[in-house]
Amino acid sequence: MKNYLDGGEAIVEAFRRLDIDYVMASPGSEWGSVWEAFARQDADKADGPTYLSCAHETLAVNLAMGYSVMTGRMQAVMLHTGVGLLQGSMGIDAANRQGVPMVVVSGESLTYSEQEGFEPGPQWQGLLSVVGGPANLVKGITKWSQAVSSPFTLHEQLIRAGEMAQRSPAGPVYMSVPIETMLHDWTPPQNPRTVPKPVLPVPPAAEIERVADLLVASRNPAIVTESMGRDPEGYAATVELAELLAIPVSESGWSDFTNFPKDHALYQGIGNPDYLHDADIVLTLRSRAPWSPPGNRPAGATIVNIDEAPFRSHMVHQNLQADIFLEGDAVSTLQALIAAVRAKGVDDAAVADRQARWSKGHDALVARKQGQVDEALAKDTISPIGLCATLGDVLPDNTIYIDETITSRRPIIEHIDFKGPLSFFSVASGGLGQGLGLALGAKLAMKDRPVVSVIGDGSFMYNPVTQSLALSEHKDIPIMIVVFNNAGYSAMRKEHHAYYPDGVAAASNASVGHDITDVDYAELGKPFGFYGRRVEALADLPGVLKEAYAATQEGRTAIVNVILDEGAPATR
């Protein structure tokens, strides 16, 4: 019986030393040595990461991403050579855009059955070889992409890759590991080091003092934030600075986290509020696109950008218009800025005046939204606003919402009452088909909190639905899936008509790009014993949502197919 350590053990040991919790896998035949290392880990009852087989590459990547976003802990993903890498590439690209650290590995063969005594399988020559190697396939969507150079460098190269992934700007890294390297014997290092956590840089103290002076002297400061709520500490620091100086806070239209309490008197909503053009200083906190159009900066304000990596290399056009960059760990920077402002002292009278002014602005925002809710709840049918308001009323305050919608995105952000940090996440990518994996990853990380996937019918159709539901059942990861069903690809029809407002299609409110297969999504969970209901009447909605929530508390995923009144399909 072969019992010596080889490259598979080198890989698993690298994951242990990187403190990885899960290896999310949709693997192929090249990974026998890693499976043997996991078998050895189980037999020895040794500590190490949990191997989680996902049956789909995009699902594996999104699981890792959802888990990492909720915990702040990097995970590993194991795929099948170039073909699996391509299948998972949309999720890898999303992690790159989102700045989520991740170690992705896949295999390859170097000998193609020509090595005497070793047969990797004829598929490697006939089907699976990649000219230039698999690493070339993801160079543009990873932070670093490389083939392992030898069995003697494998272990440390993987550790180095994981360390790089976590350094600023964080992002996914990829390594291709040949079968021949994995099967080669390996000797563990005699004096293995403890892999240190990354220490993120902060801006020079003089620059922080400079911005603190501007804030203390400001009469009309403002904050625009997009992703500050990714860290609970960032959420708290944003609240603390806003309260210290009575600064109004708005969220960018591309917000991917909840960044500030919606019921706070200083919260002024999302988008481009008019008052920004009266501001004398605007802090943009982790905002890759703080306003739209990109060049529409507040003309009279000093723009201060606070971000780890303000210039996103994945964006073709980015027009931040900043006058000052506080580049470094955004949370530490904000905390240092708060300390500097406190040390200088604040004008209490000016703060009180701003507090009163922005409280009125917040009250007006609340009244406007409440009017929209009242109108929606007066209907018999279900509108996106009515659905969002009902979700907030029915579900617990600690619910986490994972958004993958297009036309319902704004109602979701405005009218679901998210509570606290990490209560909302929407991936910063244009690639649909990731929402279910992200929700399952979030639930895997936050087992004690309800997780709801709010997802459009078009987005739902792009997801690996069967694999996601199977994983939910087999690994006991119950989530609620709420389908915002507007009976088609409404975003596509909207853009079509915007380009041709007087066109033939617009005249009949039609578009061939809008059509979608009409499926009762609630029925898809039946083979797994899940709860499923289709609901069309607003009066029935609260009861159905309560039943769905109760099902998740019993350990069953629930699918609620909500027929919206904007283009609903015919009743079955």
Side-chain angles (χ1 to χ4, degrees), residues 24-31 52-65 76-93 102 104-106 128 433-434 437-438 464 467-468:
M24 318 291 196
S26 182
S29 55
E30 71 264 38
W31 290 111
L52 192 58
S53 186
C54 304
H56 195 283
E57 292 83 357
T58 304
L59 176 58
V61 177
N62 290 144
L63 268 171
M65 187 174 175
V77 175
M78 195 165 78
L79 305 177
H80 178 37
T81 192
V83 291
L85 198 57
L86 289 172
Q87 186 73 267
S89 62
M90 185 169 63
I92 296 169
D93 178 61
M102 182 184 297
V104 183
V105 292
S106 76
L128 298 177
Q434 306 185 68
L438 293 168
Q467 296 90 333
S468 298

Side-chain angles (χ1 to χ4, degrees), residues 259-563:
N259 299 289
F260 200 81
K262 291 185 177 183
D263 57 358
H264 197 290
L266 293 170
Y267 183 69
Q268 306 298 314
I270 64 171
N272 298 318
D274 291 338
Y275 67 76
L276 287 178
H277 293 284
D278 297 321
D280 51 19
I281 180 171
V282 177
L283 304 184
T284 62
L285 309 182
R286 280 185 182 156
S287 296
R288 68 191 184 279
W291 30 72
S292 182
N296 188 33
R297 63 164 280 170
T302 299
I303 310 299
V304 181
N305 180 286
I306 298 178
D307 204 335
E308 287 83 0
F311 297 100
R312 306 294 204 270
S313 61
H314 64 265
M315 295 179 69
V316 174
H317 179 61
Q318 189 182 18
N319 193 1
L320 293 172
Q321 296 280 317
D323 303 293
I324 300 171
F325 288 94
L326 294 184
E327 191 168 348
D329 179 50
V331 176
S332 299
T333 300
L334 208 53
Q335 292 168 339
L337 187 58
I338 291 166
V341 169
R342 289 193 185 279
K344 294 176 186 299
V346 301
D347 183 338
D348 291 334
V351 168
D353 178 69
R354 285 197 295 269
Q355 183 69 49
R357 187 190 344 154
W358 295 120
S359 292
K360 291 180 181 177
H362 175 75
D363 290 344
L365 171 70
V366 170
R368 176 182 62 80
K369 292 198 296 184
Q370 187 59 52
Q372 294 172 339
V373 169
D374 291 344
E375 181 180 350
L377 296 182
K379 298 179 177 181
D380 295 327
T381 54
I382 305 172
S383 70
I385 291 175
L387 172 53
C388 293
T390 307
L391 281 166
D393 287 342
V394 169
L395 297 180
D397 287 347
N398 66 338
T399 300
I400 299 168
Y401 295 89
I402 307 297
D403 170 47
E404 192 175 31
T405 61
I406 303 298
T407 56
S408 295
R409 174 180 166 82
R410 187 170 185 119
I412 285 170
I413 294 175
E414 287 195 330
H415 293 287
I416 297 181
D417 194 16
F418 314 128
K419 299 286 189 182
L422 298 179
S423 57
F424 170 81
F425 174 58
S426 179
V427 67
S429 166
L432 300 177
Q434 306 185 68
L436 298 185
L438 293 168
L440 289 166
K443 181 64 177 179
L444 186 65
M446 300 290 195
K447 292 185 172 65
D448 295 333
R449 293 180 64 177
V451 173
V452 178
S453 167
V454 285
I455 189 167
D457 53 331
S459 301
F460 187 88
M461 294 288 278
Y462 284 109
N463 275 260
V465 175
T466 302
Q467 296 90 333
S468 298
L469 298 181
L471 182 73
S472 172
E473 182 197 17
H474 296 160
K475 297 300 180 181
D476 190 24
I477 314 174
I479 61 172
M480 184 190 297
I481 303 167
V482 179
V483 181
F484 282 58
N485 188 344
N486 54 23
Y489 296 110
S490 293
M492 300 185 191
R493 180 174 62 187
K494 178 182 176 183
E495 295 301 326
H496 177 176
H497 294 176
Y499 296 148
Y500 300 95
D502 301 318
V504 174
S508 58
N509 196 32
S511 174
V512 294
H514 174 263
D515 295 342
I516 192 171
T517 303
D518 181 18
V519 174
D520 190 353
Y521 306 104
E523 297 292 312
L524 298 177
K526 281 190 173 181
F528 305 95
F530 292 161
Y531 176 92
R533 281 287 299 276
R534 172 186 169 105
V535 58
E536 300 184 45
L538 182 62
D540 298 332
L541 181 60
V544 170
L545 292 177
K546 289 175 184 177
E547 290 176 358
Y549 172 68
T552 64
Q553 296 304 103
E554 296 166 359
R556 293 188 296 146
T557 282
I559 305 175
V560 182
N561 180 16
V562 182
I563 308 305

Side-chain angles (χ1 to χ4, degrees), residues 85-345:
L85 198 57
L86 289 172
Q87 186 73 267
S89 62
M90 185 169 63
I92 296 169
D93 178 61
N96 187 50
R97 291 170 180 269
Q98 197 79 48
V100 176
M102 182 184 297
V103 178
V104 183
V105 292
S106 76
E108 60 179 321
S109 175
L110 300 179
T111 55
Y112 301 106
S113 304
E114 297 283 10
Q115 179 181 337
E116 186 175 352
F118 173 61
E119 174 55 77
Q123 70 272 21
W124 289 98
Q125 181 201 7
L127 300 174
L128 298 177
S129 65
V130 178
V131 175
N136 275 336
L137 298 175
V138 290
K139 276 189 175 179
I141 57 172
T142 55
K143 184 176 179 180
W144 186 78
S145 180
Q146 180 62 44
V148 169
S149 58
S150 77
F152 311 104
T153 59
L154 166 61
H155 180 67
E156 280 298 334
Q157 281 184 318
L158 261 182
I159 291 174
R160 174 176 176 262
E163 290 182 293
M164 281 196 294
Q166 297 175 83
R167 260 59 185 182
S168 185
V173 295
Y174 168 76
M175 293 209 74
S176 172
V177 189
I179 304 172
E180 294 83 352
T181 297
M182 287 190 273
L183 294 175
H184 196 283
D185 61 295
W186 174 68
T187 302
Q190 290 186 338
N191 299 298
R193 66 188 174 96
T194 299
V195 177
K197 298 297 182 185
V199 177
L200 300 176
V202 294
E207 287 298 291
I208 290 174
E209 290 289 327
R210 177 188 175 195
V211 174
D213 286 333
L214 290 171
L215 282 172
V216 169
S218 170
R219 308 311 296 175
N220 290 303
I223 290 174
V224 177
T225 180
E226 188 174 296
S227 301
M228 209 58 205
R230 176 171 173 169
D231 305 284
E233 299 83 1
Y235 182 99
T238 305
V239 173
E240 184 178 356
L241 179 60
E243 291 179 342
L244 179 61
L245 292 169
I247 305 176
V249 178
S250 64
E251 294 181 285
S252 155
W254 295 112
S255 293
D256 36 24
F257 294 89
T258 183
N259 299 289
F260 200 81
K262 291 185 177 183
D263 57 358
H264 197 290
L266 293 170
Y267 183 69
Q268 306 298 314
I270 64 171
N272 298 318
D274 291 338
Y275 67 76
L276 287 178
H277 293 284
D278 297 321
D280 51 19
I281 180 171
V282 177
L283 304 184
T284 62
L285 309 182
R286 280 185 182 156
S287 296
R288 68 191 184 279
W291 30 72
S292 182
N296 188 33
R297 63 164 280 170
T302 299
I303 310 299
V304 181
N305 180 286
I306 298 178
D307 204 335
E308 287 83 0
F311 297 100
R312 306 294 204 270
S313 61
H314 64 265
M315 295 179 69
V316 174
H317 179 61
Q318 189 182 18
N319 193 1
L320 293 172
Q321 296 280 317
D323 303 293
I324 300 171
F325 288 94
L326 294 184
E327 191 168 348
D329 179 50
V331 176
S332 299
T333 300
L334 208 53
Q335 292 168 339
L337 187 58
I338 291 166
V341 169
R342 289 193 185 279
K344 294 176 186 299

